[in-house]
Amino acid sequence: MDTPPVRLTSLAHGGGCGCKLDPAILRTLLADQPVAGPFERLLVGNETADDAAVWALDDGTCLIATTDFFTPMVDDPHDFGRIAATNAISDVYAMGGRPMLALAILGMPVGKIAPAIVAEILKGGAATCAEAGIPVAGGHSIDTPEPIYGLAVIGSCDRAHVRRNADARAGDVAILTKPLGVGIYSAAIKREALDSAGYADFIATTTRLNRVGADLARDPEVHAITDTTGFGLLGHGLELARGAGLTFVVAGDAVPLLPRAAALAQEGFVTGASHRNWASFGSQVTLPAGLPDWRRHILTDPQTSGGLLVTCTPGRAEAILAQCHAAGFAQAAVVGRFEAGPAAIRVEA
């Protein structure tokens, strides 16, 4: 596809999940909000930092509802649509469900982007939905200063298969299904410093559907699942730790990375969101002495359409890793463990 006359990334102040609100600000905003209320069938609401809401139906089936949207992190409109749709659908998989249908969320700066470019964004999203086996059944569009695209997604699962991010257990190991470095690559893309091979790696990981989550949730020894997005591995790992009241011990050397992530991070390709993430929750993270800044930036790097962070009993880890590898997540790896202690993170070298 020809490069658009106007770079999509030049129209946005941030990109992908890196444009999420600062996690500390978000916690402050939500602290004074009323909980969803005493609805017997609301199994998962805003009482935890979960990926989606879950509502129980009479027959034991649950509906899963979520929404996710953001500004561009790439200039190719079709790729932008694919990434945004993959990211939105991931929330359903992270709850243990399968998607049923989607509604498009579209905001475009009228007069700055040609209609043909907007159409390509929508086609990219529809292509990903078709891959997931669901329709884009409608949506809503407005005129906005920056380009915005995403989906509201409805899914379903059996009640027994719902997996929250608050149910990790002491002794669980943590498995990450995708490599880190998406935000670092995004920073390089914005500065036109990522080569074609790097871009291909970037697209491959951000458009891989996390459908393995629905399969893993059927394993009773899988206790908690979340997807790793804008708050980075440490931020979303901290949400798991807070929910369970445990310490998440991260095995820093075991964390999988995109091929050029380490080199680019050392060259200074770091997002503003990475700095914001650390400022928000760094006080609850213990790092090993002498850890280079670039390695810390990788751990707080905002992931757009990142991997699932899964906790399970140690005895099932090998089988679950094999299941992830067979599903196409070649770099899935054990990245840490949960142990008794304060709701915090300790990174080991």
Side-chain angles (χ1 to χ4, degrees):
M1 180 180 297
D2 294 334
T3 301
V6 177
R7 295 187 66 197
L8 291 178
T9 54
S10 72
L11 298 174
H13 73 286
C17 288
C19 65
K20 291 176 73 169
L21 285 180
D22 180 306
I25 293 175
L26 183 60
R27 281 175 62 83
T28 299
L29 293 174
L30 295 178
D32 294 330
Q33 298 299 313
V35 295
F39 294 94
E40 182 179 350
R41 295 188 185 182
L42 183 63
L43 303 185
V44 182
N46 57 5
E47 69 283 353
T48 62
D50 261 298
D51 299 295
V54 180
W55 184 271
L57 300 178
D58 287 334
D59 62 355
T61 301
C62 294
L63 289 182
I64 302 172
T66 185
T67 183
D68 215 317
F69 52 89
F70 46 60
T71 53
M73 77 304 298
V74 294
D75 293 312
D76 185 297
H78 195 267
D79 287 344
F80 173 37
R82 292 172 65 205
I83 294 167
T86 306
N87 180 76
I89 296 170
S90 178
D91 286 344
V92 172
Y93 294 132
M95 298 304 301
R98 299 186 189 280
M100 299 166 58
L101 63 88
L103 303 174
I105 300 166
L106 179 69
M108 287 293 142
V110 175
K112 293 183 180 179
I113 299 180
I117 299 301
V118 179
E120 281 300 317
I121 295 171
L122 296 175
K123 288 178 182 178
T128 290
C129 288
E131 182 184 352
I134 64 173
V136 180
H140 186 65
S141 60
I142 61 172
D143 183 0
T144 53
E146 297 181 321
I148 296 169
Y149 177 68
L151 300 174
V153 187
I154 301 297
S156 68
C157 71
D158 291 341
R159 184 165 183 163
H161 299 155
V162 174
R163 289 296 181 271
R164 305 189 310 160
N165 69 358
D167 294 330
R169 301 179 187 177
D172 277 1
V173 299
I175 293 172
L176 181 65
T177 62
K178 288 184 182 181
L180 301 182
V182 170
I184 291 166
Y185 273 45
S186 296
I189 289 170
K190 196 155 188 175
R191 289 159 59 179
E192 300 184 272
L194 189 67
D195 60 21
S196 58
Y199 187 77
D201 289 335
F202 175 89
I203 295 299
T205 191
T206 55
T207 60
R208 183 176 297 281
L209 288 163
N210 279 327
R211 66 175 90 220
V212 71
D215 299 321
L216 296 179
R218 281 148 180 76
D219 189 328
E221 294 188 65
V222 170
H223 300 140
I225 305 176
T226 191
D227 61 351
T228 307
T229 55
F231 301 155
L233 176 62
L234 293 188
H236 293 286
L238 184 58
E239 289 179 341
L240 290 176
R242 286 170 175 159
L246 299 171
T247 297
F248 179 28
V249 182
V250 178
D253 290 341
V255 175
L257 305 178
L258 287 169
R260 293 196 59 202
L264 288 169
Q266 291 177 76
E267 293 170 19
F269 289 96
V270 176
T271 68
S274 179
H275 293 285
R276 291 195 302 273
N277 284 342
W278 181 252
S280 294
F281 53 70
S283 62
Q284 294 174 272
V285 179
T286 302
L287 299 175
L291 187 77
D293 284 346
W294 67 267
R295 289 190 62 189
R296 173 171 60 82
H297 286 311
I298 284 176
L299 297 176
T300 57
D301 185 53
Q303 304 306 289
T304 299
S305 191
L308 299 177
L309 187 58
V310 181
T311 83
C312 67
T313 56
R316 286 293 295 164
E318 185 176 345
I320 289 170
L321 275 178
Q323 187 174 352
C324 292
H325 295 158
F329 297 89
Q331 289 186 257
V334 173
V335 296
R337 66 187 185 276
F338 285 83
E339 60 183 35
I345 292 181
R346 186 174 76 252
V347 179
E348 296 180 342

